[in-house]
Amino acid sequence: MASATATAARQRRIIIDPITRLEGHGKIDIILDEEGRVERAYFQVPELRGFEKFAQGRPAESMPQITSRICGVCPTAHHMASTKALDRLYQVEPPPAARKIRELVYSTFMVEDHTLHFYFLGGPDFIVGPEAPAAQRNVLGVIAKVGIETGQKVIAMRRKLRELISLAAGKTVHPVFGLPGGVAKPLTAEDAAQFRHVAAEAVEFAQFTRGVFEKVVLKDQEYMDLIRSDLFTHRTYYMGMVDGQNRLNFYDGDLRVVAPDGHEWARFDAADYAEYIAEHAEPWSYMKFCHLKALGWQGFKEGAESGVYGVAPLARLNAADGIATPQAQEAYLHFFGVLGKPAHHTLANHWARVIELLYAAERMKELADDPDIIDPEVRNLPTATPREGVGVVEAPRGTLFHHYQSDGRGLITKCNLIVATQHNAARISMAIDQAARGLVSATHVNEGLLNMVEMAFRAYDPCLGCATHSLPGSMPLLVRVCDDRGNVLTSLRRDADGGIHRD
Amino acid sequence: MKPKVAFYWCASCGGCEEAILDLAEDILNVVSAVDIVFWPVALDFKEKDVEAMADGAIEVALVNGAIRSAHQLQMAQLVRRKSRILVAFGACAQLGGIPGLANLTTTGEILHEVYGDGTRPQLEFQHDGQALNLPKLFESVYPLDRMIPVDYYVPGCPPSPRIVADALRVLLSDPLPDPGSVLAPDRALCDECPRKDSHDPELKIDRYYRVQERVLDTGTCILAQGVPCLGPATRAGCGARCISGNMPCTGCFGPSGRVRDYGGKALCSLASIISGNDAGAIDPILDGLADPVGTFYRYSLPSSFLQRKQGE
Amino acid sequence: MPEEFQPRIVAFFCNWCTYLAADLAGTSRIKYAPNAEVVRVMCSGRIDVQFVLKAFAQGADGVLIGGCHPGDCHYQEGNYKALRRYRLLQRLIRQMGIEEERLRLEWISAAEGDRVRVVINEMVEALQRLGPLHKNGQAQERLMEVA
Amino acid sequence: MPDRNPVRIGVYTCHCGTNIAATVDVKALAEFAAALPGVVVSREYKYMCSDPGQDLIRHDIRDHDLNRIVVASCSPHLHEHTFRTALKVGGLNPYYFHMVNIREQASWVHENKAQATRKAKDLVRAAVCRVALHEPLERGRVAIHPDVLVLGGGIAGIHAALTLANAGKHVYLVEKEPTIGGHMAKFDKTFPTLDCAACILTPKMSAVRSHPNITLLTYSEVTKVDGYVGNYKITVLRHPRYIDEDLCAGCLECLEACVYKQAKVPDEFNMGLGKRKPIYIPFPQAVPQVPVIDPETCIQFKSGKCKKTCIEACGERHAINLQAEATTQEIEVGTVILATGFRAFDAARAPGYGYGRYPNVYAALEVERMVNASGPTAGEVILRDGRRPQAVGIIHCVGSRDENTNRWCSRVCCMYSLKLAHLIKEHTGAEVFNFYIDIRTPGKGFEEFYQKLLTERVHFIRGRVAEVTDWVFDPSEDGKLVIRVEDTLAGFVRRIPVDMVVLATGLEPRADAPEVRRLFNISCASEGFFLERHPKLAPVNTFTDGVFLAGCCQGPKDIPDTVAQAGAAAAEALALIDAGYVETEPNTARVIEEICCGCKTCNSMCPYHAISFVGEIHKSRINEVLCKGCGTCVAACPSGAIRQNLFEDDQIYAEIEGILTHA
């Protein structure tokens, strides 16, 4: 290996690479100037699968199952967005029971997925702590911190929730219950009883989780300062789904965009998304960057003039005026009481996620208790000629659009998918660029910095599987400092569990 | 000393990883029974650790996902070299999977679909003298065994928890099954279908319904109700999950042992049982199968005889 | 001048009608193109769609299926099964980028020796217009990209 | 049970004299084969099917320890059996064999030697790939039910039935008409010997009636055929003749007693030249001697207001039952002889000859009846107005050798025209003109008969008749029919005025031949006559085992040939019956129970109900005896759980690969 001093004068570059040789995920490329200061940091997504292309010619009714294969982590989100797109495509409304079963399953999924991220992916950063030794900064470290029985509690909770999804949707990974105008089968009284039982546990569990978060984060001044620090603050627009009273909703409603100052900038039906959202392509990434159409693409800038906006938990809370369930509403008020509204602090996403976890659990319980849920009428057969439909849900990681056009036989002729990480892509790039500029230089590369960059990134729980319609999941990273011949000067790895190691 | 086990993913959606996590409490038993030396998504071991191992040092490697880029091929070859037993885990690795439907099109067509004539990602982008690279994608998606030798297959999209547990047990015990075998029953799904006794032996289809065209009775054979169900052509082992969801089998477990081209066989069978002895009577029935390729090759196009769309 | 493209045709003929027709063409010394090679099966109903796909994948430019006329099947109904499969298979290969002229089903009775000539010659002409199915050894090319 | 020994293949290329060698480079082919995987011996030989050819195989099996054999020669339909036997004699299972058809499907149909050879190589490569996967098979045995069905009561059916009955076999003779006898019963004399048709036929007819081994089912049709060689179940529909065959004594008093004192109904047997009553017997020597009532014309059936004098006349016997209805009868037989005969060409289809337009234009069969002493005119050859003809023209090849009607030669018209010429001259002394294209007399005594006619001053004019017209040019033609013909010997067009024209109508397949063919699952040749298994070597066999052909249903022929063929068909049936069993091809399908998932896809595939669903084990099963080996269920089985001997998936894949592997 070439020595650092020998090449110190040379122009350098840092590649933060999520080990593409392994997973082919996202990739960060930092260009340094002559003095070794960061000149530009690129966030690249190196893969593309073309679901939108090979969707063409497929029967519309197969889309909920085909598109769920975009991501095995959040298949239910794609399945549901797709199913809702089919309702519109075939111009048919599901019967009340079917609508409720869908939202029940969806809420169950939100509880399960947010749990996964809180304990397995994001957790290590703040429960174990950013400064803790890398070896501990993983799920095992989390369990060590919160206790083994809690660890088992988490595992058991996930299992129960996922079994419920199978019960109603056939399968958990890649469900099969969504049909235009309804769901494949009604819930029996026994099924509903199980849902009620687990829902009650889920609410408790959510409150428990909230307790954990408040104990280890809110009471930790250092951590709160980090959350508030400018390094992790971007004043952008936010988008999220809201119900009739502008309250948070994951399954259905209008989309609401609030400006950096918090005022409602737009409120629209999913079908009109193309009038509000545009996609911008860069030559150095397969991922397209969403922005607000009216404001146009101003580059990676924040502020009211830039079209850059964010989605995901923090954005959702910013975009909503409240939450429909009591316990979550109370947590919502506390959240903005502390951070002010709108909250621009990227790391607050973790807190917002816990509040959403609580809401999802409460909503799950409401629906499980609803007597209509076992009504056998769960199908309305489509009669209209299929044409075009847009379906939207709030996926765990943010707003998810499925937009289909079909011929008269319901064979897909055009398919457009916009996933959470695409909405967030610009904001993520900015976060990385900002973190890099603030922290990195040729002579100054260490775990701490790396994990800082990491955290800006991870707060979004970005799913590049969805983003590229190709690969899922969490974000292992590799940072290498090389000279311009590509000789590695320094190399640090960070894996999906949060462990960071210098090679 | 505990056997070394590795999990690795190529072009997959992560559902197979979830399938392993869905062992839930059992995962702890697995972890205690073996020595997991490589699991990028969950544990902290690196490629170079793998490179450092002696060839064949890994007892069992479970690889999910298809091959669609040179990187994935490289890694698959590395893992192959280091492993005594390599298992294609899940539909994508075994058959190509749903992303394999990309073989109906080309990378060029995909790029055009997504980016139109505007800015396009470049394999190499220059930032004053610094090249940013994006990996080249193959024109086709390939199942694992078209690229590297595969010892066993675990079917499913994703494999059901039961299949995963059984597979791990079998692979870690003696004697091993015949090389090349699929670690699931060599029988079709009907064998374990709760509705298998719900219809009489005269299976005759006068009309194929698309699934949204008909409210399915929850107790009767779905195929007998006229909705194309691929259960008869599909390997058992999933526990008829989709059927219990009152939806037809779409074939994610792939063919049984004596079938070489899943889609061809399934098509042959579903066409045989319709009524109608002339084109005029036959064609309207077939209209219920709106998308033959997407129906019969939903998971297996890259492993079919034709592999991809022909011509250019 | 470049030699004319010689398409390869795999012909699945039923034992009782079309295979006999081909024999009759022989005993009648009827001349036709040498591009079709016959796989004999007892009944067109035996022809598994897999066989046709295998033939295309293996390098056939065309596949011909020959059976008894409707109502004349030596096994009563086998040819109807063949017809049903053929109608669906045509839709499939169209999606797979294979022109429908490349797959042909013909009812040829034991008495119609000359029909064998007409059908095979027609098919050869059609395939010569279309050119090879595997353009410049596409299959090999695809393996190149990963080598 | 697959054979585990290393595969050692012998490939044998046949020259078939020059039939193959002239178009396929047999040397190159043999060398090519020698290089193929698994091939130990590759030879070419003049005639592989000859004894020395077969010895080659047998010796190589012994000397080179071969366990697979490929012969590239003619069609398997011709010699597959021959070579399998050779293997058997050589001590090898006969199914370790595959035959490559490089004659009918290569050398005879291609001209370019290079291309024909290339094709032959592909086919041989395919066979070598395939045969390597062959497995030893055993033929099954099916017991033969000793009874025989003979369909058709003409001279062919009668002779076949008697031959079998005399050999002690029980025969069901089924005839559509109320009597047996067929066309021959309508003839007066038979060529060339001019012996009286009735004299030679009626004794055989009564022999049938009285034979203890023959069950005669007249006025009956076969409506359904189930089963297979050795075990056919035949359903026979018996039309009601309204007179009970068992009770009727054949006194015919009922005919006398009929309220119709005069016969008024045109008489089918006499080609409508005579009349019959609603209750009638087709002709005096009819068998059975039991009248029939024609409900179309019987007053009782039409109005219900008849005195029913016939029933009175029958009196105590009560043989007449006007309420009788059609009945069906099921019979079981092991073999079938089809002797359904022919249909005479309808002369109206050749409009130029004026049949149906000019009263005195007759079809040959009508004249046959006229010259017959017991016919409508009691043997008088007369015009419609009762006059005797002065001049008669006989036009040959009506509905034969004719682009517009039937292309084939009906074989008998020349001879029966000569016969009629002779008889007409004998009965009327008229001038007789024969208009012919060629006179064909290929038969014992035929040419002599022709020569005899020439000496009888019968006129022969060579040329196809243009038309028959009543448009006269000069008084000599008044009231005559004028035959316009180009005399191709004299080389000019002639007009021959005659009083009577006789059309020598040809033979064609019966209208119901297609139905019969489907019932018995056999093939027809292009012109519609039933197709024999081989024109030379198996002229009375069909492609369906146990079904044989006799008489004109297989093609036009005269009485001697018909009788000879009937005897041959009877002998073929006897051979099967006395063997006691028939060996069945082993290419049946079977369900592999471990793989079968019980999806019931296959059950609806089988037209022979060979596949049953076994509820207890929830799997399907195939009855090997009922299975005909079509393989439809094999292709349909969605999980590959059904296999077919000799047509295994892997064997067919190997064949495809063999064909398409570029050498």
Side-chain angles (χ1 to χ4, degrees), chain D residues 578-635:
Chain D
D578 287 355
Y581 64 86
V582 59
E583 285 198 322
T584 55
E585 282 303 316
N587 59 311
T588 50
R590 63 193 187 286
V591 174
I592 308 164
E593 284 195 354
E594 308 76 64
I595 302 182
C596 175
C597 71
C599 68
K600 300 170 181 166
T601 298
C602 56
N603 299 76
S604 59
M605 292 296 110
C606 184
Y608 307 104
H609 311 294
I611 311 179
S612 54
F613 186 77
V614 188
E616 308 76 66
I617 55 170
H618 200 271
K619 291 174 188 299
S620 287
R621 215 175 255 160
I622 295 175
N623 175 335
E624 202 191 342
V625 179
L626 294 180
C627 173
K628 293 263 195 304
C630 64
T632 303
C633 60
V634 186

Side-chain angles (χ1 to χ4, degrees), chain A residues 119 127-128 139-155 205 208 212 215-216:
Chain A
Y119 287 97
I127 297 183
V128 183
V139 63
L140 301 173
V142 173
I143 293 178
K145 186 85 175 265
V146 297
I148 182 69
E149 68 292 334
T150 305
Q152 281 158 343
K153 188 182 194 150
V154 173
I155 291 176
F205 177 78
F208 164 82
V212 171
K215 190 158 102 272
V216 298

Side-chain angles (χ1 to χ4, degrees), chain D residues 295-455:
Chain D
E296 297 301 308
T297 51
C298 170
I299 295 179
Q300 178 56 26
F301 280 90
K302 279 161 68 184
S303 66
K305 297 200 188 60
C306 181
K307 295 208 243 40
K308 309 201 201 80
T309 46
C310 54
I311 295 181
E312 288 168 25
C314 193
E316 288 312 301
R317 289 198 196 89
H318 304 298
I320 302 180
N321 169 13
L322 299 175
Q323 278 68 46
E325 287 181 350
T327 59
T328 62
Q329 178 175 349
E330 237 198 29
I331 59 181
E332 294 190 1
V333 299
T335 50
V336 175
I337 293 174
L338 298 179
T340 51
F342 67 95
R343 173 178 67 181
F345 177 77
D346 171 8
R349 279 170 58 205
Y353 298 150
Y355 184 80
R357 192 159 79 251
Y358 308 124
N360 290 323
V361 177
Y362 291 87
L365 263 181
E366 295 170 333
V367 181
E368 285 279 0
R369 292 313 301 151
M370 269 202 266
V371 295
N372 185 297
S374 63
T377 58
E380 289 294 309
V381 178
I382 47 174
L383 303 173
R384 304 274 178 189
D385 61 9
R387 289 183 298 121
R388 280 193 167 186
Q390 306 298 310
V392 178
I394 302 176
I395 301 176
H396 294 215
C397 296
V398 177
S400 302
R401 305 181 68 188
D402 176 1
E403 294 292 322
N404 310 317
T405 57
N406 300 327
R407 291 158 163 270
W408 61 87
C409 167
S410 295
R411 272 187 72 187
V412 294
C413 321
C414 285
M415 289 309 294
Y416 80 61
S417 298
L418 297 179
K419 174 190 74 184
L420 288 178
H422 170 83
L423 294 175
I424 291 167
K425 206 156 180 56
E426 189 179 77
H427 285 59
T428 65
E431 290 293 321
V432 180
F433 301 85
N434 277 277
F435 300 88
Y436 69 97
I437 305 174
D438 304 287
I439 292 292
R440 298 187 165 177
T441 59
K444 196 173 179 187
F446 289 12
E447 181 61 18
E448 295 84 337
F449 187 73
Y450 174 38
Q451 294 305 331
K452 174 165 168 295
L453 264 281
L454 291 172
T455 65

Side-chain angles (χ1 to χ4, degrees), chain D residues 451-471:
Chain D
Q451 294 305 331
K452 174 165 168 295
L453 264 281
L454 291 172
T455 65
E456 289 176 4
R457 300 197 329 283
V458 172
H459 308 286
F460 288 88
I461 296 169
R462 186 167 179 279
R464 181 178 279 286
V465 169
E467 66 166 346
V468 174
T469 176
D470 59 358
W471 188 27

Side-chain angles (χ1 to χ4, degrees), chain D residues 53-74:
Chain D
Q54 297 183 49
D55 289 338
L56 269 182
I57 298 176
R58 289 198 285 272
H59 295 145
D60 286 348
I61 292 174
R62 188 189 58 217
D63 305 342
H64 299 275
D65 179 23
L66 301 180
N67 53 22
R68 301 287 193 286
I69 301 296
V70 170
V71 174
S73 56
C74 50

Side-chain angles (χ1 to χ4, degrees), chain D residues 147-154 156-162 164 170-175 214-217 222 331 333 335-340 520 550 570 573:
Chain D
D147 295 0
V148 186
L149 165 71
V150 175
L151 187 60
I158 289 170
H159 184 75
L162 285 171
L164 287 160
H170 190 88
V171 179
Y172 295 91
L173 178 57
V174 176
E175 167 59 47
I214 296 179
T215 305
L216 178 57
L217 304 173
V222 169
I331 59 181
V333 299
T335 50
V336 175
I337 293 174
L338 298 179
T340 51
F520 291 91

Side-chain angles (χ1 to χ4, degrees), chain A residues 125-204:
Chain A
D125 290 334
F126 45 86
I127 297 183
V128 183
E131 302 309 325
Q136 291 169 27
R137 223 186 301 109
N138 58 40
V139 63
L140 301 173
V142 173
I143 293 178
K145 186 85 175 265
V146 297
I148 182 69
E149 68 292 334
T150 305
Q152 281 158 343
K153 188 182 194 150
V154 173
I155 291 176
M157 192 69 234
R158 275 195 90 234
R159 181 179 39 75
K160 290 178 192 165
L161 292 162
R162 290 172 71 84
E163 282 170 0
L164 284 182
I165 296 175
S166 292
L167 184 67
K171 286 158 70 193
T172 313
V173 180
H174 309 317
V176 298
F177 75 134
L179 286 166
V183 294
K185 69 165 184 183
L187 282 190
T188 65
E190 302 74 56
D191 301 341
Q194 283 201 48
F195 268 97
R196 276 197 297 281
H197 177 71
V198 178
E201 277 186 53
V203 175
E204 265 175 54

